[in-house]
Amino acid sequence: MFDKNGDGRITKEELNDSLENLGIFMPDKDLIQMIHKMDANGDGCVDIHEFESLYSSIVEEKEEEQGKTLECCKEMIMQVDEDGDGRVNYKEFRQMMKTGGFSNRSSSSN
């Protein structure tokens, strides 16, 4: 999937295209830095072995972010879930909107 031309090495362009397909967008300088970190033999490309460790670190990072997002969602639901059923019903949602959202801070000036 990443090695478009099948030469066993991944160039910066191939890496960029593949990451974008996964929904990961990185500036060129970050891509170059990433390749430089993973490029053990210094040829400017990432070979299959170098890539394995790169891929694992990206996947772990993305899973960690999704875990944090899920925790934030659970916290927000708990803040407005008055009857404790793990769901936000219309009444709870309406109350949340009246009080200005999930946080106790006043967030806007109308």
Side-chain angles (χ1 to χ4, degrees):
M1 174 174 127
F2 285 80
D3 182 16
K4 302 288 186 217
N5 63 7
D7 66 355
R9 298 160 21 145
I10 300 162
T11 63
K12 178 173 72 75
E13 289 74 21
E14 288 173 328
L15 181 61
N16 185 47
D17 291 348
S18 300
L19 288 176
E20 284 183 4
N21 288 339
L22 292 172
I24 300 169
F25 298 89
M26 292 186 136
D28 260 15
K29 65 179 180 60
D30 292 346
L31 280 170
I32 292 166
Q33 194 174 28
M34 184 185 286
I35 286 178
H36 185 72
K37 264 195 227 171
M38 304 315 296
D39 183 18
N41 63 8
D43 67 354
C45 295
V46 177
D47 66 30
I48 191 69
H49 303 296
E50 294 166 341
F51 177 72
E52 277 179 41
S53 43
L54 167 68
Y55 186 75
S56 330
S57 68
I58 290 171
V59 169
E60 284 170 19
E61 204 171 289
K62 200 157 174 68
E63 285 174 357
E64 191 176 302
E65 281 175 29
Q66 286 170 345
K68 287 178 188 170
T69 305
L70 187 61
E71 283 308 306
C72 287
C73 288
K74 285 180 184 173
E75 258 178 58
M76 288 188 291
I77 289 172
M78 282 168 46
Q79 285 179 20
V80 295
D81 179 22
E82 289 175 12
D83 60 11
D85 67 352
R87 299 167 184 239
V88 177
N89 62 31
Y90 179 71
K91 180 178 168 269
E92 292 164 340
F93 180 76
R94 199 176 65 214
Q95 182 59 34
M96 174 196 72
M97 296 312 284
K98 279 184 186 171
T99 59
F102 289 111
S103 67
N104 297 329
R105 294 179 255 129
S106 63
S107 54
S108 63
S109 53
N110 291 344

